[in-house]
Amino acid sequence: MEQLANALDKVNIGVAHVVRWLALAMMLVQFGIVVGRYTFGVNSIAVQESVLYMHAALFMLAAGYTLLVDKHVRVDVFYAKATPEMRRRIDIFGHLFLLMPSMIALIYWSWPSVRNSWAILEGPISVGGIEAVFLLKSLIPAFCVLVMLQSLALLIRLLAGKET
């Protein structure tokens, strides 16, 4: 089972190694937008939207990796002063009864919108924007799948009694 958990980790590590470059790309594109607008008086809605797409992709696709490295937001009401065994139980409960069901619900409720968007190859958000809203909406189920894969990897380790 540890091999399965490691393989699931590698999925999110691989995705994170790719999407981390979007942070640099966003900065460079945004810098180009500002220079273009204020120095040369040129502007492009599609280029502006590209920053939105990169931002969405970076955060949605790196969420599983964030869970892997334990940098997600945690409400420490009970967790901070809990014993290691109690933390393990809280984590197991959280994965099984909070995280996994919420990801399944999010896929279930977002899927019709994603499917319909692909069916019509939904166009730009703004006139002159990127004609790929269907790709942007596809980030929602991708986010859910990556977070669930990482949750499963962590759950495997928790149930085996290994530290995460």
Side-chain angles (χ1 to χ4, degrees):
M1 288 304 259
E2 182 69 24
Q3 289 177 335
L4 175 59
N6 290 338
L8 295 174
D9 287 348
K10 286 180 183 176
V11 170
N12 276 307
I13 290 168
V15 170
H17 278 100
V18 172
V19 300
R20 68 182 176 179
W21 292 103
L22 291 175
L24 178 62
M26 276 190 321
M27 184 195 66
L28 293 173
V29 171
Q30 189 63 52
F31 180 75
I33 290 168
V34 171
V35 169
R37 182 182 305 151
Y38 293 107
T39 304
F40 302 107
V42 296
N43 192 21
S44 167
I45 292 173
V47 174
Q48 286 179 321
E49 272 189 14
S50 74
V51 174
L52 174 106
Y53 276 66
M54 288 185 280
H55 186 263
L58 175 63
F59 284 92
M60 298 290 275
L61 299 177
Y65 179 76
T66 304
L67 184 58
L68 168 67
V69 295
D70 199 27
K71 297 297 182 191
H72 58 287
V73 176
R74 182 186 302 272
V75 179
D76 283 344
V77 175
F78 303 109
Y79 202 82
K81 295 182 182 179
T83 65
E85 178 58 26
M86 189 61 184
R87 286 183 183 187
R88 185 169 99 45
R89 290 180 184 184
I90 291 169
D91 286 341
I92 290 170
F93 175 83
H95 286 286
L96 285 176
F97 298 105
L98 301 173
L99 183 61
M100 291 283 207
S102 65
M103 292 297 107
I104 291 167
L106 188 54
I107 288 174
Y108 178 80
W109 290 108
S110 68
W111 187 252
S113 178
V114 174
R115 184 187 60 235
N116 292 340
S117 187
W118 272 90
I120 63 170
L121 297 177
E122 191 171 355
I125 297 169
S126 305
V127 175
I130 298 171
E131 297 194 22
V133 170
F134 57 96
L135 294 176
L136 197 59
K137 287 184 178 181
S138 298
L139 292 173
I140 299 168
F143 157 79
C144 294
V145 168
L146 290 170
V147 169
M148 284 193 304
L149 289 175
Q150 195 56 56
S151 180
L152 180 60
L154 294 172
L155 196 55
I156 289 169
R157 290 189 182 97
L158 287 165
L159 291 172
K162 300 198 187 239
E163 290 292 320
T164 56

